[in-house]
Amino acid sequence: MPVKECGSHASNSPRLLNFLGRNIICLVIFIIVTIIGIALAWVILHSPKPRFILQDATVFSFNVSGDPPDLLTSSIQTTLISRNLNGKTGINYDRLDVYASYQSQQITLPTSIPAAYQGYEEVNVWSPFIGGKYVPIARANALSLVQEQSSGAVKVLVHVVGKISWKVGPITRTSDLFVRCPALISFGNSAAGVIVGGRGVKYTLVTVCSVSV
C-alpha cells in the first residue's frame, strides 16, 4: 500500500513558527512597555512634596488706621526658598500666589509669582512683595494687631497657593499647592532686624513651612 507524504503539513510548519514568533515578540514588547508605564506612574504618584522655607521678611510699612481701626497698610518683601526633593523628576510651578493672613483673615493683597520650572533636587528662590494700601480687616483683628505691635511682636502667616505638576515621559500629575509659613515679626526689638535702604527692617526668620499637595 503506497504511503502518502504530508507535504502540505511540512510546508505549514515554518508559517506557524513565524506566526508564533511574531506574537511572542509582540507580547514581550507589550509587557516591557507596560512595566515602563507602571514605573513612570509610580514615580509620578510618589513624588515627594517640595520643601519651602521662609528665609526672611523685610518690613517697609505696617500700619493700622481708621476710626475705629479697620484698615491695614503694609509693604513686606519676603524671601521664599523652595527645594525639589525628588532626584528623578522636575516640578513645574504653573501658578503661584503669595499673601499674608492674621487670625485666619487675609490681610494683604495676593502677589503672583511667574511660572517656573524646578529641576531635580534644585532650589528656587523668590522675593515677592506682599501688602496693600488701606486693606479692610475685621475690627477685632485690627485691634489685636495694634496690641501685638505695641507689645513688640506680631505673628502672621505667609501663604503660597497655586498649582504644580510633575511630568515623566507622557505621564503628568497636576496638584493644588498650599504652603503656610509662620512669621513672627519682632517690631519692638531693634536688634532683631537689620535696616535696609533707610526705611525697611529685615528680619531673619528661617521658618520651615507646612506644605500640602
Side-chain angles (χ1 to χ4, degrees):
M1 183 176 181
V3 179
K4 186 181 293 185
E5 294 184 2
C6 299
S8 62
H9 288 200
S11 63
N12 286 335
S13 295
R15 295 179 183 177
L16 178 61
L17 291 175
N18 289 336
F19 175 78
L20 291 175
R22 286 195 300 268
N23 280 274
I24 290 173
I25 292 173
C26 290
L27 179 61
V28 170
I29 293 174
F30 174 76
I31 292 173
I32 292 174
V33 171
T34 301
I35 291 173
I36 292 174
I38 292 173
L40 291 177
W42 189 92
V43 169
I44 288 291
L45 294 176
H46 292 81
S47 296
K49 298 178 291 187
R51 175 180 294 172
F52 276 78
I53 293 175
L54 178 60
Q55 180 68 27
D56 54 59
T58 303
V59 181
F60 294 94
S61 64
F62 197 89
N63 301 305
V64 176
S65 60
D67 187 16
D70 58 359
L71 301 171
L72 176 65
T73 296
S74 62
S75 177
I76 304 171
Q77 184 177 22
T78 60
T79 301
L80 291 159
I81 299 174
S82 169
R83 180 180 178 85
N84 179 8
L85 302 179
N86 197 322
K88 298 178 180 179
T89 181
I91 300 175
N92 287 300
Y93 293 91
D94 303 316
R95 178 180 58 80
L96 294 177
D97 290 322
V98 185
Y99 65 90
S101 71
Y102 177 77
Q103 295 187 0
S104 301
Q105 182 184 17
Q106 183 174 333
I107 59 172
T108 70
L109 301 176
T111 298
S112 295
I113 295 178
Y117 174 77
Q118 189 174 52
Y120 315 153
E121 298 182 339
E122 283 188 353
V123 173
N124 286 16
V125 180
W126 295 289
S127 298
F129 278 86
I130 56 176
K133 191 173 183 179
Y134 303 130
V135 177
I137 59 176
R139 191 167 301 171
N141 288 344
L143 293 173
S144 181
L145 276 174
V146 171
Q147 292 174 355
E148 289 190 13
Q149 192 171 4
S150 299
S151 299
V154 173
K155 184 176 182 180
V156 300
L157 283 176
V158 176
H159 300 256
V160 183
V161 297
K163 286 189 177 294
I164 60 175
S165 60
W166 298 263
K167 184 175 182 180
V168 177
I171 303 175
T172 301
R173 174 195 170 195
T174 301
S175 179
D176 293 322
L177 175 71
F178 302 95
V179 180
R180 291 160 52 94
C181 309
L184 182 64
I185 301 174
S186 302
F187 286 102
N189 185 0
S190 58
V194 177
I195 304 298
V196 176
R199 61 188 186 90
V201 182
K202 183 176 183 178
Y203 300 94
T204 300
L205 304 171
V206 195
T207 302
V208 178
C209 310
S210 66
V211 180
S212 300
V213 295

